[in-house]
Amino acid sequence: MPLNDKVSQAVLAIQQATNWQDKYRQIMLVGKVLAPLNETFKVEAAQVKGCESQAWLYHYQEADKHFFCADSDSRIVKGLIAILLDATHGKTSAEITSFDLERYFSHLGLSGQLSPSRTNGVTALANAIKQFAAT
Amino acid sequence: MTKAFEHDAIRAQFPTLSQQIDGQTLCYLDTAATSQKPQSVINAVNQYYQLNNANVHRAAHQLSARATRDYEAVRSQVQGFINSNRVDEIIFTHGTTESINMVAHGLTAQFDKDDIILVDTAAHHANIVPWQQLAKQTGAIIKPIPLNDDLTIDVDAYEQLLSLAPKLVALTHVTNALGTVNPIIELTQKAKQAGAITLVDGAQAIAHFAIDVQQIGCDFYVFSGHKMYGPTGVGILYGRYQILDTLTPMLTGGEMIKTVSFNGTEFGSLPNKLEAGTPAISAVIGLGAAISFMSDLPSDLVEQHEQTLLHYLQQQLDQLGDISLYGAGPNNVGVVAFNLAGEHHQDVGILLDQQGIAVRCGHHCAMPLMQHLNLKGCCRASIGLYNNKQDIDLFIDALRKVKELLL
């Protein structure tokens, strides 16, 4: 089950973008599709550490499928989260565990955003998602 | 003889600067984090490993004698560079952070409960956290020195705090987040009159103008090699001999002793007493080359060049519009702190990076200052002597594109 058709379309547009402006415009647009988290949920306990920006991640499970709510105060990070969720939201533990983050991002032409030395926290978010799916 | 200042020729000595990032000219505006290194520094480190590699202070053979001679020659160079009174007042450390930790640790036994420590609100964490640790162990009290609206130190409030007779005052020569230059001689003199021990963090000052520790009159002055065109892994702790000699060594072991037996150990004298273990010899040699590099340049023209660039940078940012500048004054040095409208500093940083622009975005290890400014963080562009007008133009042009995309 895709997160949202709009997200999936935008992810395609990111892949097809020919310059950094288009790519990042699309990333920020896809972030807007995610509903903003209510301020009362932006608490430290839900924060994913390892981001220069603030990012919050919530998880719930229905039957064998995992669902996520997330937000960030950075527009680009929020877009990157939406891209992550497009690949993981509504998936089973097995699907999420076998999800190859590096391949997925490099397919989108975004592998530069993934190195552990980057402070955008995408790797930390992906690890947090995998941790939820594993428990 | 007047020293030449051919800027293109100076810039050409920095090999990292001529590279491309994703097909774009690298525009390095992150010197406040670390400076690039001239070829002469790289060569000096290389040469040490190729020709003279041996441990120092164990001069039983020629290589070790050469290594020790070169290592100790840098100590004398540093003494001259900051005009300290004695060569054994210069301690090699791993950097500013270690230097401050050594002082805080070394003075702990001299502190009592309720002793007061004054700390600059705009200080780097390295000049806050070691004092907090000292306070935790001794029951001493930390009091932040308030800032004026223009983010300079509030001297009236500072004088009031000094009337409490603090035991120690930790000052910043140039703030790393904003580039504010504090009136360090005045601040130090006032602290001394109040009977306080004084430490000055010079990490952001040392690359930009001449330092004279005797003129400043502080008890301790600390800085890092890597911010002054030298290698990482070496820093300086300058201490006035009488007080430096009272520090309890943070590290104990080899090199720092006079005699060791299982009945007890007698420490050696300064500077060895505070340099336990094998030091970062190659980095020290590289630091010597960095000092030579800087000393060969006409410092007045270098300063003028940097100030002209910084003013141009401040002015261009201001003209771009939708930019908030923080504490940007005409007397600042090296650094401009800014945000683009209400945009997240990280978004701005990511989009600048897409264009080959290297700036730092974050809290700049100055969270108390960010809290004071009510900011999550900001972007910081900082310059070194190798930057030119073209760097600023590239940066402003890139930021304009970021602005078009975000706003």
Side-chain angles (χ1 to χ4, degrees), chain B residues 235-247:
Chain B
I236 297 296
L237 163 58
Y238 154 79
R240 207 164 46 76
Y241 188 89
Q242 286 73 10
I243 186 157
L244 186 66
D245 202 34
T246 70
L247 294 187

Side-chain angles (χ1 to χ4, degrees), chain B residues 292-342:
Chain B
S292 299
F293 167 78
M294 287 177 74
S295 306
D296 285 346
L297 296 172
S299 54
D300 49 339
L301 296 183
V302 171
E303 257 179 66
Q304 214 175 70
H305 169 78
E306 288 188 9
Q307 283 317 93
T308 307
L309 267 191
L310 192 73
H311 293 156
Y312 181 63
L313 174 56
Q314 290 173 334
Q315 173 222 337
Q316 289 293 302
L317 275 168
D318 201 38
Q319 272 183 19
L320 187 62
D322 298 304
I323 296 283
S324 306
L325 294 174
Y326 304 109
N331 299 321
N332 284 19
V333 160
V335 166
V336 181
F338 68 95
N339 270 318
L340 170 63

Side-chain angles (χ1 to χ4, degrees), chain B residues 167-181:
Chain B
K167 175 113 178 168
L168 185 138
V169 177
L171 297 165
T172 312
H173 201 161
V174 176
T175 65
N176 79 302
L178 306 174
T180 312
V181 183

Side-chain angles (χ1 to χ4, degrees), chain B residues 107-146:
Chain B
L107 289 174
T108 299
Q110 300 179 33
F111 271 73
D112 292 316
K113 191 171 176 295
D114 298 332
D115 279 345
I116 292 171
I117 302 171
L118 304 189
V119 172
D120 185 353
T121 300
H124 188 283
H125 296 161
N127 204 10
I128 299 174
V129 184
W131 307 119
Q132 286 177 330
Q133 291 302 109
L134 191 169
K136 222 193 237 175
Q137 284 173 43
T138 59
I141 299 162
I142 308 255
K143 289 194 181 286
I145 306 166

Side-chain angles (χ1 to χ4, degrees), chain B residues 1-126:
Chain B
M1 196 182 85
T2 340
K3 297 171 184 168
F5 186 67
E6 299 281 339
H7 193 265
D8 287 350
I10 293 168
R11 185 181 168 100
Q13 293 178 43
F14 291 83
T16 40
L17 293 177
S18 57
Q19 68 186 294
Q20 305 261 303
I21 299 283
D22 297 334
Q24 300 165 97
T25 312
L26 165 65
C27 175
Y28 191 75
L29 294 174
D30 198 18
T31 294
T34 196
S35 63
Q36 298 301 332
K37 322 302 175 200
Q39 193 63 51
S40 60
V41 169
I42 299 166
N43 290 350
V45 173
N46 247 325
Q47 203 178 13
Y48 162 74
Y49 281 122
Q50 288 198 347
L51 299 174
N52 302 329
N53 177 54
N55 211 332
V56 292
H57 305 142
R58 295 184 184 94
H61 54 82
Q62 284 195 34
L63 276 195
S64 175
R66 259 191 256 155
T68 304
R69 176 199 64 199
D70 293 351
Y71 179 83
E72 288 303 325
V74 178
R75 202 187 303 277
S76 304
Q77 255 185 303
V78 175
Q79 182 200 359
F81 193 62
I82 63 171
N83 192 33
S84 78
N85 191 32
R86 303 168 55 142
V87 71
D88 49 8
E89 292 178 325
I90 306 297
I91 307 297
F92 291 121
T93 67
H94 292 120
T96 305
T97 299
E98 191 185 42
S99 299
I100 300 174
N101 272 277
M102 280 168 68
V103 175
H105 179 275
L107 289 174
T108 299
Q110 300 179 33
F111 271 73
D112 292 316
K113 191 171 176 295
D114 298 332
D115 279 345
I116 292 171
I117 302 171
L118 304 189
V119 172
D120 185 353
T121 300
H124 188 283
H125 296 161

